[in-house]
Amino acid sequence: MKYTILGAGAMGSLFGGLLATQGHAVELLDLNERHIAEIQRAGLTLDTDQGRLNVRVNACRPEQGSTPPDWLIVFTKTMHTDAALRAAQHLIGPQTGVLSLQNGLGNLEKLEAFLPRGRIAIGVTTVPADMKGPGHVQSHGQGHSRFMSADRQRNPALVQLAADFNQAGLSCELDDQVLAAIWRKVAFNAALNGICAVTGSTVGQLGQHADTRALVHRTSQEVIDVARAAGVVVDADGVHHDLDHAMAHHVHHKPSMLQDLLARRPTEVEAIHGQVRAHGERHGVPTPCVSTLHTLVQQIEAVAS
Ligand code: NAD
């Protein structure tokens, strides 16, 4: 199989690197020149719970990508999807499938501008990954991915993709209820990412104040209510349990939205809060907490730029 990774930061490098260890042809496409140069010079270094791997893999800019792959896996941050796909359009051949495991809502709609729904798969992943430096990614702890073809057909290419992921140690399953899993993660992220981002708090610090803890749960509940109005039933008890667990155990964790604001980078607020707000307006479901977080994160981004 040939896999091309569009957006080879923390997640893209991890997925691409592990697939390459199984003998697949893998091409990493990114804009980060230092990262590309280091991978070309010394290979990709992956630190996982299994130890350190050094993987030889092709890396270049999207417009330099060579031939259409069997699967193009999009792992840019959500606000960069359109530009990345435009630059890599020549790699979407008549048989190429495109997979997005990016966070947030609206990923399918972005991909549909470039290829038919039947060749798109969307999903969600809890696999963790961090960039340590150019050519160097770490991933510690368990994670799992779920995805499904956007037309809900289990075609052979999709089944092969899931088998290749599992063989590479990327635990995954095909899930007919993937929309519920996507919304569930959005409910979790809207609360913890958003409130940590505007308050500068770690996840554990949110749990130390009863009012803030209540705000966390209220924010997630808004997302769950919007999902239900959009026809997606999310396991509300599961979300509220996950929030309490995270506030009790991931005490020092700074969610990516806070990390992005601290580094003066744009965040994924549109794909999370912006999308929930828009769905809420469409279905007549009020989203006061989500909409306020949306506005405040945008305000912080605007001041920083
Ligand atoms: P990242 O910032 O580490 O990687 C994104 C990469 O995309 C960067 O290397 C950037 O240079 C590249 N990029 C930006 N614009 C591009 C373009 N036009 N063409 C090609 N490449 C471009 O982000 P990440 O942490 O790997 O996250 C990727 C996605 O996965 C996000 O949607 C994120 O929410 C989701 N996610 C991340 C994690 C995690 O633990 N890191 C876990 C689950 C889901």
Side-chain angles (χ1 to χ4, degrees), residues 21-284:
T21 64
Q22 300 305 304
H24 300 295
V26 173
E27 195 161 63
L28 302 181
L29 307 179
D30 206 284
L31 300 180
N32 182 336
E33 301 286 2
R34 289 178 63 210
H35 187 49
I36 293 172
E38 188 58 20
I39 295 169
Q40 288 171 344
R41 190 188 70 79
L44 174 67
T45 301
L46 299 178
D47 287 331
T48 72
D49 292 341
Q50 278 67 51
R52 175 165 285 193
L53 286 171
N54 185 268
V55 190
R56 283 288 168 181
V57 62
N58 288 332
C60 59
R61 292 178 59 89
E63 61 273 18
Q64 297 166 332
S66 57
T67 52
D70 296 291
W71 281 99
L72 181 78
I73 304 177
V74 183
F75 258 136
T76 61
K77 290 274 178 75
T78 47
M79 57 282 190
H80 298 134
T81 303
D82 291 328
L85 280 168
R86 273 199 303 276
Q89 213 164 349
H90 63 292
L91 300 174
I92 304 177
Q95 307 298 327
T96 303
V98 178
L99 169 70
S100 165
L101 298 177
Q102 297 157 288
N103 275 337
L105 301 168
N107 296 314
L108 170 60
E109 290 72 13
K110 286 182 190 148
L111 301 183
E112 270 188 306
F114 294 88
L115 77 166
R117 184 167 263 250
R119 289 196 277 126
I120 298 174
I122 53 162
V124 65
T125 182
T126 58
V127 172
D130 289 304
M131 288 293 297
K132 294 301 288 175
H136 188 182
V137 167
Q138 77 171 11
S139 174
H140 292 294
Q142 294 295 310
H144 187 71
S145 307
R146 307 167 170 277
F147 47 88
M148 185 41 74
S149 175
D151 67 1
R152 294 173 179 244
Q153 300 298 310
R154 291 181 182 230
N155 58 59
L158 188 73
V159 172
Q160 185 65 50
L161 173 71
D164 288 350
F165 273 18
N166 280 315
Q167 191 186 35
L170 293 160
S171 165
C172 77
E173 66 191 290
L174 300 181
D175 182 356
D176 292 322
Q177 304 302 319
V178 77
L179 277 182
I182 290 171
W183 276 90
R184 179 173 173 158
K185 191 164 189 208
V186 169
F188 181 89
N189 283 340
L192 296 188
N193 272 269
I195 300 172
C196 287
V198 301
T199 60
S201 307
T202 64
V203 170
Q205 285 168 334
L206 300 187
Q208 288 167 5
H209 299 277
D211 277 357
T212 314
R213 226 172 26 242
L215 178 65
V216 164
H217 286 285
R218 225 165 34 244
T219 304
S220 282
Q221 189 59 47
E222 284 179 11
V223 181
I224 294 164
D225 293 344
V226 171
R228 184 167 298 118
V232 180
V233 178
V234 175
D235 171 9
D237 290 346
V239 173
H240 292 296
H241 171 272
D242 289 350
L243 293 169
D244 284 331
H245 183 272
M247 288 188 281
H249 296 282
H250 302 161
V251 179
H252 302 296
H253 179 59
K254 289 184 181 170
S256 59
M257 196 172 282
L258 172 57
Q259 290 182 35
D260 285 338
L261 287 185
L262 290 173
R264 294 178 161 247
R265 290 189 298 255
T267 71
E268 294 190 296
V269 73
E270 268 318 310
I272 300 173
H273 303 79
Q275 284 277 331
V276 173
R277 184 178 190 168
H279 279 281
E281 282 166 8
R282 204 168 305 136
H283 294 286

